Amino acid sequence: MRMFARLALAGMVAMAAGGIARAEDVLKAKIGVLRLSSSAPVFIAQDKGYFREAGLDIELKFFDAAQPIAVATTSGDVDFGITAFTAGLYNLAGKGTLKVIGGMSREKAGYPLIGYFAANNAYAAGLKTPKDLAGKRIAVTQVGSSFHYSLGLLADKYGFKLADVKIMPLQSLSNAAAALKGETVDAALLPISTARALVDSGGAKLLGWVGDETPWQLGAVFASPKTLTSKPLVTKLLAALARADREYHDVILASVKDGKADINDKTKPLLEIIAKYTNLPVEQVVGNCAYIDPEGKLDVRNVANQIGWLQDQGFVDKGFDADAIIAKEYVKAD
C-alpha cells in the first residue's frame, strides 16, 4: 500500500512538473489596439481563448488614436500593433523600426465604418454631402492619419484641392467628436462607433461613408524587428487571428444587409464580445461591422498607393516603398 502511495505521489509530482513546463512554454505579448469594431477579430481571439489555445498569453493595451500605437510598438511598450495605417506609422516603418505582417480592416462599400459628419450649423448652411467638404474646417485625429488620407482620396475624387480644406488635427477621437458637437469645426471624420451617440441625439449629421466613396485598406497588423525575431510568437499570433478573421467574416459579415449585421443565435455571441471590448451596446455594434478579409489578407497594391500619396503630400519621407516595410514571409497578399 505504501509503495502504491509512493508511486501515486511520484505520478502527481511528474504531472505537476509537466504542467509547469507547459506554462513556461506559453509566450507572452502585448497588443496595442483601439476600442473599435475594426479590431473585432482581436477581441474574438482574446475572449474565446484562441490566443490561449495557440500557446499565447496576450494582454490588450488600449489607445485613443492610431499613431500612438505605432510609436508604442517601436518603443517596445507593446509587441504588436493592430490599427489603421498613418503617415507616422509609415515613417517609422520606412526607418526600419516596424514591419507589416498582416491585414485587418478595410473601407468597403456596404460596411459602414468611418463616416463624414457635419456640425448642425454647417449642415444648415449647405454642407449636405461629402463633396461639399471643399473649403471647410474638418476635424481629424492627426495630420497624416487614416482620416486625413480618406479626405485626400475624397478631394481627388471630386476634384477639389486638399490644400483648400482647413485640417484641424485634434489628437484623439473624443476631441474631434467634442469639436463637432461644439461646432468649432464644420465637419469631422469619425468612426460611427464614436459619432453614433452624437448623431442619434441630434448633435451632428451624417453625410456619408468613406467605404462607399473611396474603398481602401485601412488597418494592419505590425510589429518591431525585435518582436519578429521570435518566429513562434508571430506565427502563433497570426494563426489565432486568422481563426478569428474567418469566424467574424463567416458569421457576422455574412449576415450584414443594408449596412447592419443581423442579431440571431449565431451572431449574438460574437456581437456581445465586440460590444464588451468597444463599450457599446450590441444594437450599436451591428451598424459598424468593418469589413475584414476572411484570410487576413493585405491589399499590398493599395498600401503602395497610400505610401506614394503620402509621400507626394510631404507627410511621409521618400526613399522607400511598400516592399521595404512588409514582412513578406508572413503577409498574405491580396
Side-chain angles (χ1 to χ4, degrees):
M1 182 68 71
R2 285 195 297 271
M3 182 177 290
F4 177 78
R6 285 197 297 271
L7 289 172
L9 179 60
M12 291 173 65
V13 170
M15 289 175 65
I20 293 171
R22 285 191 294 274
E24 290 175 346
D25 289 339
V26 172
L27 300 173
K28 293 186 177 183
K30 295 179 181 179
I31 298 177
V33 69
L34 301 177
R35 290 189 182 275
L36 300 177
S37 64
S38 50
S39 296
V42 183
F43 308 142
I44 293 169
Q46 180 78 331
D47 208 78
K48 297 194 72 172
Y50 296 164
F51 289 134
R52 185 175 61 252
E53 290 173 19
L56 302 175
D57 179 2
I58 296 295
E59 177 186 343
L60 300 184
K61 188 171 182 179
F62 294 97
F63 293 76
D64 196 34
Q67 174 59 15
I69 296 178
V71 174
T73 307
T74 296
S75 69
D77 287 345
V78 298
D79 302 289
F80 298 94
I82 300 179
T83 190
F85 283 113
T86 64
L89 188 156
Y90 283 130
N91 277 324
L92 290 170
K95 292 179 173 64
T97 63
L98 290 178
K99 288 282 187 179
V100 177
I101 60 174
M104 190 52 69
S105 59
R106 299 187 185 191
E107 287 287 5
K108 187 177 176 71
Y111 299 90
L113 181 57
I114 307 299
Y116 314 95
F117 299 92
N120 286 331
N121 284 345
Y123 186 85
L127 178 54
K128 305 290 188 181
T129 70
K131 67 181 179 181
D132 299 327
L133 289 169
K136 300 297 189 293
R137 299 169 300 163
I138 304 174
V140 299
T141 51
Q142 294 173 321
V143 171
S145 65
S146 58
F147 306 104
H148 197 171
Y149 176 69
S150 295
L151 190 58
L153 293 178
L154 189 77
D156 290 345
K157 177 178 179 179
Y158 288 113
F160 62 85
K161 293 181 179 179
L162 187 58
D164 293 338
V165 174
K166 186 170 180 56
I167 302 296
M168 310 288 286
L170 301 180
Q171 307 310 314
S172 72
L173 298 173
S174 54
N175 287 346
L180 186 66
K181 180 179 180 179
E183 308 211 31
T184 57
V185 297
D186 299 311
L189 273 75
L190 291 168
I192 183 56
S193 56
T194 301
R196 186 178 298 281
L198 189 57
V199 172
D200 289 349
S201 66
K205 297 290 192 298
L206 170 66
L207 302 179
W209 302 107
V210 170
D212 292 339
E213 295 284 352
T214 56
W216 62 286
Q217 177 76 56
L218 175 65
V221 186
F222 49 92
S224 68
K226 181 180 178 181
T227 299
L228 295 181
T229 61
S230 177
K231 188 169 183 177
L233 173 61
V234 179
T235 302
K236 289 179 178 183
L237 178 105
L238 291 177
L241 284 176
R243 182 179 176 186
D245 287 340
R246 172 59 69 178
E247 185 173 9
Y248 172 76
H249 180 277
D250 291 356
V251 175
I252 293 183
L253 294 187
S255 77
V256 172
K257 184 177 180 181
D258 296 327
K260 289 188 176 182
D262 189 24
I263 302 177
N264 56 47
D265 291 342
K266 288 180 63 178
T267 63
K268 191 173 181 180
L270 296 185
L271 291 169
E272 288 177 340
I273 290 172
I274 299 169
K276 171 183 172 181
Y277 286 90
T278 57
N279 295 329
L280 293 171
V282 167
E283 291 74 20
Q284 288 190 22
V285 171
V286 297
N288 60 292
C289 295
Y291 183 83
I292 293 172
D293 183 86
E295 297 180 36
K297 289 182 178 178
L298 180 76
D299 187 342
V300 175
R301 180 178 298 180
N302 179 255
V303 171
N305 289 342
Q306 291 180 45
I307 294 172
W309 186 90
L310 290 165
Q311 287 173 334
D312 289 343
Q313 299 295 319
F315 299 143
V316 168
D317 299 333
K318 295 188 176 182
F320 71 93
D321 56 16
D323 287 341
I325 70 166
I326 292 174
K328 295 180 180 179
E329 65 269 34
Y330 296 115
V331 168
K332 294 180 181 178
D334 192 1

